[in-house]
Amino acid sequence: MKILKLLLLSIVLLHPKIYLSQKVGVVLSGGGASGLVHIGVLKALEDNNIPIDYICGTSIGAVIGGLYASGYSPQEIQNILNNPEFIQVSKGNIPDKYYFRIKHPEEYASWIRLRFSLKDKLVKNIPTNVINSIPIDLFLMEKLIHSNLKKNFDSLFVPFRCVAADVENKQKVVFKQGNLSDAIRASMSYPFYLRPVLINKKLLYDGGLYDNYPTDICYTEFYPDLIIGSDVSDNHSPPEDDNLYLQLRNMMMNKKDTSKKCDNEITIKPYSGNILFDFENAQALIDSGYNATIRKMPEILKHVTTYKNKYETELKRESYKSKNRPIVIDNIHIQMLDKTPSYYITKSLISKNKMKTLETFKKRYYRLASDERIKFMYPYTEPKENNKTDIRIYAKQEKPFYFDLGGIVSNRPVNEIYAALQYNYLGKIGLTVYANGYLGRLYNGALGKIKIDFPAYNPFFTELLVCYSRWDYYKSSTLFFDFKKPSFLIQEDNYTELNMGIPFGTKGIFRWGGGIANWTNSYYQNNNFTNKDTADKTYFNYYYFQSSIDINNQNRRLYASEGSRLFLKLKYIKGNETFLPGNIAPDKTPINNRFHKDWLYIKMFSDNYVKTIKKFKLGYYFEYTFSSQDFFSNYTATILSAPAFYPTIESNTLFLPNFRAYHYFAIGGKSITSIFSRLDLRFELYWFQPIQAIISNNYKAEFSNPLVYQNIAGSGSLVFHSPLGPVAFTINYYKNAENNFSFFFHFGYPIFNRKSLE
């Protein structure tokens, strides 16, 4: 027996690897989007059969390390982080697939929006984070929900640690248990960019503040024989007097500890550039990480004594993931972080039938997150037995008051100032009280709206609108190089309407309702007038009923380059006309309360964009309009009431009689070249075809022969999409206009309150 023990001892001493296999720890640094290089590092290690026994990370390193520790392969991590859904949530946007358009506010001419509360002091009304954290919070919970069931990070596919920063106590916090998604979310809470996370009554920030390259954590937690680190956490640049970001970063972040923590430690430094928040160039960064690791491989192989076959790792991973059964959500608990009642959120998320699947929860959660009244929601999983979990949602209402400021700055006299004030309330209903105003030479107007949202599994809303508009085409039509006398046209429009609406899919709204309106036009029927003459006036008093479907997932209010929009409207109008001629009217016979037969108005358009090669997109447009209305008392009044086609952005500010008809269709094509991410070169061309054009015969309106007249419009634009709004330089072409070409520069949004006849 003694001989056998001596024999075994000698074998161990001579060949320790038989019984004492080498352990390798991998450390992934912080560094924002630059940390995507870590995916390439992990892929190269696996391809060369290097074992990964432990993994530690900070910030983006915690995200990638946590996904790997949860059983995702490097390729699967690449697919996740290179997916358009992640690109969107990394910017704080709700993924297009889940964005619920019925919650989207109406789009006017706003440049900036300030949210505030009258109860708070000024400093509390200053935003504390750049992006909305709701999408990234749900994304992490969804991807790591199976790991959240385990609680202990040593029970993961690979034992894992990550680091966050407790700024109150000026110390780092190391996570080794709890909800994995919460730990990673805390580790990546970059100050002023992403909202911090409250865990165990501590407000935690990005771990990179105190330990951006946690080799020390890897060593003290796991005592590996070899540490392989991927480091893009370069010691930050010194502060500059005109760079607030560098000043804050230097004040908050500790210098990186570059000392080795164990005898065998290898650091890989892939080239990544200084990229913090741009995750769209993933493949180049992943390739950089892979190639840097391959260059370092001879040195790594000198220190590695135990190998793990890549296919053995994959089999182990599949065996680990096979135990992950579909998650069943048992209960949802709502906890408000302010004094707001939870009824609205509860009714929006929970129906009579209990929630079951994660996908169902995800759809409803994003639907609620689309509501502009919701400031903050954080989903916290409370695991139960048999792959069940409760979800506790911590939520807070957005500040109740919004102030919008915007308008238009242009080379033409169409400059506008726009301002709006909005009040929001959440209780058993969602209430919005809104008012806006425009002031300018072309357009002066105001709109007031009260909207009530009813939370339910199938939500709906009702709204009451009152609008006044005054359009002065006379003051705004003269170009700086055009000395021709323009037509005198002033249009006033007042209406009150009541609507209801329900969602039409996730991107659409089905709206129906009706209203009453008063419409006044002041005009001369020819241009031979002086300031001593009195204008003709046409009054039209009417009521209407309408319904519409609007499906829209375009990426911008103006100058969209992605997505599509489909709009269909049906309207019934009935009213009477009064005509009061001016002193130079061709026909000086007044018409009082001339009854107009009712008419039907149908409008449909489709606006779509298609991706082709990189940085180049094509768009196509189709519009069809039909109105059964009869003529007004004269040609000018008739053409002013006719449906209009607006082929270019500038045409929204012009009165173009040759692009108006009762019955027409129009087609258009667009090409968009993205010179830079925010700079586009656009070319657009449109064909306008009236079925029967409206022509003047001795100042009276009549129809032309079918399909005799056509019109063409086009534009070439250079558009910069600034954070406040578009800056556009455009050459426009209108075939049958007095001036075929025009130059139009504008900053801001030529978007106005809707006209009652539209």
Side-chain angles (χ1 to χ4, degrees), residues 145-186:
I145 195 165
H146 287 98
S147 297
N148 286 347
L149 301 178
K150 300 185 183 301
K151 289 295 185 182
N152 190 322
F153 296 176
D154 288 337
S155 301
L156 299 172
F157 173 65
V158 173
F160 172 74
R161 300 289 185 269
C162 67
V163 185
D166 177 2
V167 296
E168 180 184 0
N169 297 305
K170 303 295 186 292
Q171 63 185 18
K172 58 188 173 187
V173 177
V174 180
F175 286 97
K176 60 179 72 177
Q177 60 186 7
N179 278 354
L180 180 62
S181 59
D182 297 332
I184 292 173
R185 175 62 178 81

Side-chain angles (χ1 to χ4, degrees), residues 177 388 523:
Q177 60 186 7
K388 290 185 178 180
Y523 54 90

Side-chain angles (χ1 to χ4, degrees), residues 269-289:
K269 287 184 168 291
Y271 174 77
S272 60
N274 190 18
I275 305 172
L276 272 180
F277 308 122
D278 184 4
F279 289 87
E280 297 192 28
N281 194 26
Q283 191 58 55
L285 292 168
I286 294 168
D287 291 343
S288 174

